[in-house]
Amino acid sequence: GSRIDVLRRANSGRVSTEQVLPMLHTDDDKWLDLNNNLVGEQGADAKFDSVYLVDDFTASGTTLIRQKDGVWKGKLARFNKIVKDAAEALGDAFPIAPDYALNVHHYVSSYQAKRALEQRLSAANESWPDKTFGSVRATEGLLLPARAVLAQPDDADMLGLCEEFYDHEVFKRYERHC
């Protein structure tokens, strides 16, 4: 996935291991542990004012955030609910500041995903009534150019392979993510 081990090692001395969570779902005990470590190092009123969500790749941006029937869906919606529920349950012991800055980083992003994410994140920041973050931005380590999309006639051989080996039954099983 997003190679959190490399992220931790590359930021040794700047980000402690305890500040990096390798999974989206975090239970109350882990939130309390994060809070206790932060308060122990920074003082009683310390809170994280920035959060980074890191993922390996985005092709369309829909896995992260999309709207269906006026409701925000995707990984960001799940993370927002996790933060909201934990903040309500833990009160002052929750380690993230209200209206924190949310940073979404993909190691690789397609050009169309970058544009779609910018639009969706801007809309979410303006119209999401129960969002937990104050600001949001998307970055990437490598932005694939718009011309990276396969098209006829230049990519006929590759598109032919895709057509030959495409399995619609596999697509149907994963259709809810497409």
Side-chain angles (χ1 to χ4, degrees):
S2 54
R3 298 301 311 261
I4 297 300
D5 59 329
V6 174
L7 177 76
R8 285 178 171 163
R9 287 183 188 91
N11 290 287
S12 180
R14 293 188 297 176
V15 176
S16 72
T17 300
E18 294 78 24
Q19 291 176 302
V20 179
L21 302 175
M23 73 294 273
L24 185 61
H25 301 287
T26 305
D27 62 22
D28 288 349
D29 288 339
K30 184 60 179 176
W31 288 123
L32 290 171
D33 187 45
L34 285 170
N35 188 65
N36 291 338
N37 287 331
L38 181 64
V39 167
E41 291 178 17
Q42 301 291 319
D45 295 329
K47 299 287 180 198
F48 292 112
D49 56 8
S50 294
V51 172
Y52 287 81
L53 298 179
V54 179
D55 207 349
D56 53 355
F57 178 72
T58 183
S60 66
T62 56
T63 301
L64 178 73
I65 187 170
R66 62 192 175 281
Q67 213 172 21
K68 185 174 180 181
D69 300 325
V71 177
W72 291 104
K73 301 279 187 180
K75 288 181 181 179
L76 185 52
R78 286 190 301 276
F79 179 74
N80 191 74
K81 181 176 180 351
I82 290 165
V83 168
K84 186 174 185 254
D85 291 349
E88 288 173 3
L90 300 175
D92 289 339
F94 186 66
I96 298 176
D99 295 326
Y100 59 93
L102 178 62
N103 303 278
V104 178
H105 182 79
H106 290 93
Y107 291 138
V108 179
S109 179
S110 70
Y111 178 83
Q112 61 268 29
K114 172 72 173 181
R115 299 297 164 251
L117 281 175
E118 287 172 344
Q119 292 172 354
R120 287 188 207 124
L121 291 173
S122 177
N125 201 33
E126 294 173 14
S127 66
W128 195 342
D130 64 344
K131 70 179 175 70
T132 58
F133 51 89
S135 65
V136 60
R137 73 181 182 123
T139 59
E140 64 284 318
L142 174 65
L143 179 61
L144 298 175
R147 68 183 184 282
V149 175
L150 298 179
Q152 295 284 3
D154 295 340
D155 303 305
D157 291 342
M158 179 59 75
L159 290 169
L161 284 172
C162 293
E163 189 64 35
E164 181 179 347
F165 294 102
Y166 174 76
D167 184 344
H168 192 66
E169 291 303 313
V170 172
F171 171 79
K172 285 173 29 180
R173 279 186 271 161
Y174 297 105
E175 191 170 23
R176 64 188 170 129
H177 298 294
C178 297

